[in-house]
Amino acid sequence: MRLSTKGRYAVTAMLDLALNGVKGPVTLAEISENQGISLSYLEQLFAALRSKELVRGVRGPGGGYYLGKSADDISIANIICAVDEWVEFTRCGGRQNCSRGSRCLTHSLWDDLSAEIFDFLANISLGDLVRRGAKEAESKPPALNVVANGEDSRAA
Amino acid sequence: MRLSTKGRYAVTAMLDLALNGVKGPVTLAEISENQGISLSYLEQLFAALRSKELVRGVRGPGGGYYLGKSADDISIANIICAVDEWVEFTRCGGRQNCSRGSRCLTHSLWDDLSAEIFDFLANISLGDLVRRGAKEAESKPPALNVVANGEDSRAA
DNA sequence: TAATTTCCGAGTAAATTACTTGGTAATGAG
DNA sequence: CTCATTACCAAGTAATTTACTCGGAAATTA
């Protein structure tokens, strides 16, 4: 699994789309404005997302983008894989001259962990996040939308 | 959370260290040889790991690196944060002019997800991986160390 | 003393990121 | 029908990051 800023842009944009796309399509210009991502970078990202059928574009005035399928059927892993494309990290994929000693054990463990991270992200859907947001919005006054995360605690 | 190839190198190297460092220190030259990472790149990574006290270096002949603490006290998140350094993704950290509408909700949701990914990796220790490897090694014939992962299944 | 190893900093090619520019194609509003 | 609007597309590029090379210095052991 690879989680770069590019993947973040894609997830953030998809989240924006899921939240704002309930009534009619959302234009990339809106997402660009909302999220502070350049329009043509969004175009690139959405070209990748479209090719994986995670979004569907409608041209012309009043057009924009819809989710390609239900938000519950789109996982975070789907989104990240669409734009970041999975690259094999270890060169030995179990087959080469790397099959003895602790070297390949390391690689095997890495692959296991990597798959576990993937599964984790594959089990979180856009729909999950949207529902989580709906709960937050009702339990909090809308103006005091404070992000409560101890940033420093995770640096150590 | 950010999971780049740099972080992978670090995790892989630390795993190698945990596996081979049971008797005496491990040199970077060995890890370089084992994992196919250039020596001076390892030096850079280990400088970061050392500054976070995840490893401890011993100079001179017979020297090398030890884990800085018990493998059970080193999480994958620790390792990745040490080399990749946490960068705030959304510019609005809850305080700026981004606190109305669905824009900040998107950011807040992203931050939540990001924290969740972090927690996930914070709860997997090097020790966990080593124990998992020990189990694998005993249940499998050593030569048939096949990495069993359906790579294509996760692309879709 | 000499070999070994960490430790350190400067420099760099290659890749990736994020963006700009300049279009074309489809489509709805007037 | 025309035009504004939108997706769609491709080439180029500055900035950043990755992964590495080089050339050392400092500590430590044989």
Side-chain angles (χ1 to χ4, degrees):
Chain A
M1 197 69 239
R2 176 135 168 263
L3 184 47
S4 63
T5 52
K6 193 177 180 184
R8 292 177 199 222
Y9 276 123
V11 172
T12 302
M14 287 292 282
L15 208 38
D16 192 285
L17 183 52
L19 288 165
N20 295 323
V22 280
K23 289 279 179 195
V26 181
T27 67
L28 290 189
E30 290 174 70
I31 298 178
S32 171
E33 164 73 18
N34 279 350
Q35 305 302 331
I37 312 170
S38 93
L39 181 59
S40 41
Y41 195 42
L42 276 175
E43 284 178 350
Q44 282 180 39
L45 297 177
F46 273 70
L49 293 169
R50 199 168 52 84
S51 78
K52 294 281 167 53
E53 292 178 326
L54 298 179
V55 297
R56 188 164 43 87
V58 176
R59 297 208 243 194
Y65 278 96
Y66 290 99
L67 290 182
K69 38 186 143 178
S70 158
D72 289 321
D73 294 332
I74 299 175
S75 73
I76 305 306
N78 287 153
I79 298 170
I80 291 172
C81 285
V83 300
D84 249 347
E85 73 208 52
W86 188 278
V87 280
E88 196 63 32
F89 182 60
T90 54
R91 294 78 162 164
C92 65
R95 52 197 176 284
Q96 266 110 319
N97 58 346
C98 180
S99 36
R100 60 194 168 284
S102 67
R103 173 160 61 168
C104 203
L105 179 54
T106 309
H107 288 176
S108 159
L109 286 176
W110 170 261
D111 283 340
D112 285 354
L113 176 62
S114 204
E116 204 170 318
I117 296 170
F118 177 87
D119 287 342
F120 176 72
L121 294 177
N123 281 314
I124 302 175
S125 74
L126 262 190
D128 292 333
L129 291 179
V130 168
R131 277 186 292 278
R132 190 185 307 183
K135 245 180 228 160
E136 260 181 50
E138 90 188 23
S139 65
K140 284 181 189 176
L144 289 176
N145 205 347
V146 176
V147 180
N149 53 351
E151 297 170 23
D152 287 332
S153 68
R154 74 179 57 128
Chain B
M1 198 67 238
R2 176 136 167 261
L3 185 47
S4 63
T5 50
K6 194 177 179 183
R8 292 177 199 220
Y9 276 123
V11 172
T12 302
M14 287 291 282
L15 209 38
D16 192 285
L17 183 52
L19 288 166
N20 295 324
V22 282
K23 290 278 181 194
V26 181
T27 67
L28 291 188
E30 290 174 72
I31 298 177
S32 171
E33 164 71 19
N34 279 348
Q35 305 302 331
I37 311 170
S38 92
L39 181 58
S40 41
Y41 194 43
L42 276 175
E43 284 178 351
Q44 283 180 37
L45 297 177
F46 273 71
L49 294 169
R50 199 167 52 85
S51 77
K52 295 282 166 53
E53 292 179 326
L54 298 179
V55 297
R56 187 165 43 87
V58 175
R59 298 207 244 196
Y65 279 96
Y66 290 98
L67 290 182
K69 38 187 143 179
S70 158
D72 288 321
D73 294 332
I74 299 175
S75 74
I76 304 306
N78 287 153
I79 298 169
I80 291 172
C81 285
V83 300
D84 250 346
E85 76 209 50
W86 188 278
V87 279
E88 197 61 32
F89 181 59
T90 54
R91 295 80 163 164
C92 66
R95 53 197 173 282
Q96 265 112 319
N97 58 346
C98 180
S99 35
R100 60 194 169 282
S102 68
R103 172 160 62 168
C104 201
L105 179 54
T106 309
H107 288 174
S108 158
L109 286 176
W110 168 261
D111 283 340
D112 286 353
L113 175 62
S114 203
E116 204 171 317
I117 296 170
F118 177 86
D119 286 342
F120 176 72
L121 294 177
N123 281 313
I124 301 175
S125 74
L126 262 190
D128 293 333
L129 291 179
V130 168
R131 276 185 295 277
R132 190 186 306 183
K135 242 179 231 160
E136 259 181 50
E138 91 187 24
S139 65
K140 284 181 188 176
L144 289 175
N145 205 349
V146 177
V147 180
N149 53 350
E151 295 168 24
D152 287 332
S153 68
R154 73 179 60 129

